[in-house]
Amino acid sequence: MLIQPRRSRRWLLLALTLACALAGAQTLRPGASAPLPASVTTALAQAGVPLDAISVLVQDADGQAAPRLSHRADQAMNPASVMKLVTTYAALDLLGPGFTWRTPVWLDGQINRGVLKGNLVIQGQGDPKLVLERLWLLLHRVQSLGIRKIEGDIVLDRQAFAPLEGHPGDFDGEPLRPYNATPDALLINFKSVVLTLVPDPAHGVARVQLDPPLWGVQVPATVPLSNGKVCGDYRGTLKADFSDPASIRLAGSYPVSCGEKVWPVAYVDPASYTARTVQGLWHSMGGQLTGRVREGNAPATAATFESQSPTLAEVIRDINKFSNNVMARQLFLTLAAHRTGTGTGTGTGTGTGTGNGNGNGNGNGNGKATAAATQEAAREVLRQWWQQRISPALATLPSLPAPILDNGSGLSRQERISAEALARLLQVAWASPYMPELMSSLPIVGLDGTLKRSRATPAGAHLKTGSLNGVLALAGYVHGAGGKQVCLVAIINHANASDAKAALEALVDWAVGSASAH
């Protein structure tokens, strides 16, 4: 029997140990822990964020290889706006990227010499992007049919979505922030007003313009200019008071050094916003109205014409690149409306379902409203879709529970999902026909959207961002130099999360390097 020297046995033991370690790395499960890159841990320490407050998963987009990095990836976390990935990809899968929202309009009466003797009826079906310009086009279409005067009412049908409980400021006590606007079947201009301030030094004032022109709302035409080389807090110096629905007061001055500024504000009385906007715009276009703007039911007859929204592929770019909460919530409710047949719209998709709308993912959803869409119904649609399309998608991995959804936008303290589950969704999307539409909707690092100011590798990734008080998150696709695509998900839940942007930027840089090295 050959006896090996002691040194040779030590080298053999070391080699076996190293081989076992490498084998373990190749079979690393998503929920397992692995040392985070030093650049990330250093930045986390500087931000005061402990390692047990972050969840990370980095894995190839095809899902075939073991994770490149996994740290607490199976922990359910609050993802903030990263949850919009679930809503937008489910919508692509169920409705199809070419889906559009329809807003039917009825001329319910006779037209004689420019006068409609009857009502103008507008029925909301959840269009997330019925902005001021498109409302103008809708009313211009009415006028192009020869109508300058309505001897009747303008009737608004907003019944496609069930009324929501609560108020816009319930989430964080900031009801005037546009991101807190609530969904509406007839959502117009995100229920927000825009103050445009333009200095006129020759007259010592700043000109004030209010858009849209809300009916019955007064706003000063000018405010005094103030001197100063630094713009500073122009909103504070204006001393604006938005508390009166009938009057916007500006008691202060406007710094001349600020130049032109645009200030969006959620209207203080959202319940009356749609009516005030429609009436104000109609009159500003030279239209006359003898009656009033009121809520009511649309006729059972065919509509005179329909306003059609941009496609879903275009809408989700606004939702994801700029993290538009109210648009995401509109889309969330739309999924419920088209599963139960309560909405109108056209499109194709690959999902499954029931109902008279777009439940089977194909054809058009022109079902007459039978029940208003609710958040509870939308959550059930997403739960069923997750179980059918995401949970069992990769046979080599265990099924994943559906995320905990609230309103589908991430503007919630209740929503929860794991990095592992988000990565699974990204991998399923990567293999789907709609991957290009989803990826192109995500902000590009250092170039646009919510990542325009990121200091990570420019154009190194398409990533959805998420941030709330105590939450910071990223999820999306990282691009390697050789064309390798890697899914990255990182979620921080901690009081110091907002200070940890450098840590997530370091993680993106590491993932770009890892993908480039294959």
Side-chain angles (χ1 to χ4, degrees):
M1 180 177 177
L2 179 64
I3 305 297
Q4 293 184 345
R6 183 176 299 176
R7 179 176 296 177
S8 298
R9 288 199 300 269
R10 284 201 303 266
W11 278 109
L12 179 61
L13 181 61
L14 180 60
L16 289 172
T17 302
L18 180 59
C20 291
L22 290 174
Q26 291 301 312
T27 58
L28 184 67
R29 303 297 296 172
S33 292
L36 293 171
S39 58
V40 176
T41 57
T42 299
L44 288 172
Q46 292 173 345
V49 174
L51 296 184
D52 62 3
I54 183 172
S55 176
V56 176
L57 185 62
V58 180
Q59 189 173 23
D60 292 0
D62 60 16
Q64 298 302 311
R68 295 168 181 258
L69 181 62
S70 179
H71 176 79
R72 302 181 69 251
D74 58 351
Q75 300 299 304
M77 308 281 279
N78 185 332
S81 285
V82 166
M83 189 64 90
K84 291 180 174 71
L85 285 170
V86 177
T87 301
T88 54
Y89 179 61
L92 284 172
D93 195 48
L94 290 169
L95 303 176
F99 173 84
T100 58
W101 287 259
R102 304 296 182 89
T103 302
V105 177
W106 286 260
L107 304 182
D108 193 17
Q110 299 297 316
I111 304 172
N112 184 21
R113 296 183 179 181
V115 178
L116 171 63
K117 295 183 180 296
N119 298 329
L120 171 67
V121 183
I122 305 172
Q123 185 182 55
Q125 291 290 346
D127 186 344
K129 203 172 182 181
L130 190 53
V131 292
L132 183 58
E133 297 86 348
R134 290 190 52 233
L135 178 62
W136 185 93
L137 288 172
L138 184 153
L139 295 178
H140 179 70
R141 177 83 177 273
V142 173
Q143 293 188 345
S144 72
L145 295 175
I147 298 171
R148 291 294 181 271
K149 183 177 181 180
I150 301 172
E151 288 189 351
D153 296 335
I154 298 178
V155 180
L156 308 177
D157 186 336
R158 303 161 64 183
Q159 299 176 80
F161 292 171
L164 295 176
E165 297 181 359
H167 303 280
D170 288 346
F171 179 73
D172 58 5
E174 297 284 353
L176 299 182
R177 296 294 182 93
Y179 63 74
N180 272 325
T182 54
D184 193 310
L186 190 56
L187 178 74
I188 293 177
N189 216 53
F190 314 128
K191 298 183 185 177
S192 295
V193 298
V194 175
L195 287 175
T196 302
L197 301 120
V198 182
D200 182 357
H203 295 88
V205 298
R207 307 288 175 183
V208 182
Q209 178 178 329
L210 177 69
D211 288 308
L214 299 181
W215 184 253
V217 177
Q218 302 297 317
V219 63
T222 63
V223 293
L225 283 177
S226 57
N227 294 321
K229 295 182 179 180
V230 179
C231 179
D233 180 17
Y234 75 90
R235 298 179 181 181
T237 60
L238 278 172
K239 298 180 180 178
D241 182 358
F242 299 98
S243 61
D244 184 355
S247 177
I248 295 175
R249 299 182 177 88
L250 303 174
S253 61
Y254 183 72
V256 66
S257 56
C258 287
E260 181 175 329
K261 290 288 186 182
V262 174
W263 182 8
V265 182
Y267 183 57
V268 69
D269 183 24
S272 70
Y273 178 88
T274 301
R276 289 183 186 274
T277 300
V278 171
Q279 188 166 357
L281 191 56
W282 176 251
H283 282 284
S284 74
M285 296 170 64
Q288 300 177 55
L289 177 67
T290 62
R292 60 192 178 94
V293 181
R294 61 176 176 85
E295 295 194 19
N297 298 327
T301 57
T304 306
F305 69 87
E306 293 179 328
S307 171
Q308 188 168 341
S309 76
T311 65
L312 176 62
E314 297 172 83
V315 166
I316 67 169
R317 285 174 61 86
D318 286 338
I319 292 174
N320 285 333
K321 281 193 180 287
F322 303 102
S323 210
N324 190 302
N325 291 311
V326 69
M327 291 181 75
R329 297 181 69 178
Q330 292 281 118
L331 181 56
F332 187 66
L333 288 170
T334 296
L335 292 175
H338 285 269
R339 179 59 62 91
T340 59
T342 64
T344 63
T346 60
T348 59
T350 60
T352 59
T354 61
N356 300 320
N358 204 28
N360 64 2
N362 294 283
N364 57 46
N366 292 314
K368 181 64 179 175
T370 56
T374 65
Q375 292 195 146
E376 291 77 8
R379 288 192 281 265
E380 179 61 18
V381 169
L382 266 295
R383 186 189 67 80
Q384 292 182 13
W385 172 81
W386 184 277
Q387 290 180 341
Q388 295 168 4
R389 297 282 290 136
I390 306 300
S391 183
L394 300 177
T396 58
L397 295 176
S399 295
L400 293 174
I404 298 174
L405 290 158
D406 181 9
N407 56 43
S409 74
L411 190 69
S412 169
R413 292 295 176 186
Q414 284 73 50
E415 294 193 325
R416 295 289 185 276
I417 194 169
S418 67
E420 181 181 6
L422 273 169
R424 177 82 62 87
L425 179 143
L426 290 167
Q427 290 164 351
V428 172
W430 176 257
S432 82
Y434 307 135
M435 178 276 291
E437 282 75 23
L438 181 66
M439 184 182 290
S440 66
S441 77
L442 305 181
I444 306 172
V445 173
L447 296 184
D448 69 4
T450 55
L451 283 175
K452 188 173 183 177
R453 294 182 175 85
S454 173
R455 297 181 180 180
T457 306
H462 282 71
L463 299 168
K464 180 70 195 79
T465 62
S467 62
L468 292 172
N469 185 20
V471 182
L472 192 65
L474 288 175
Y477 301 101
V478 175
H479 316 306
K484 187 71 174 179
Q485 300 293 325
V486 172
C487 296
L488 179 151
V489 182
I491 307 173
I492 299 173
N493 286 183
H494 191 268
N496 297 334
S498 61
D499 297 326
K501 290 182 179 179
L504 295 193
E505 289 173 344
L507 180 63
V508 172
D509 290 340
W510 179 89
V512 170
S514 175
S516 298
H518 287 259

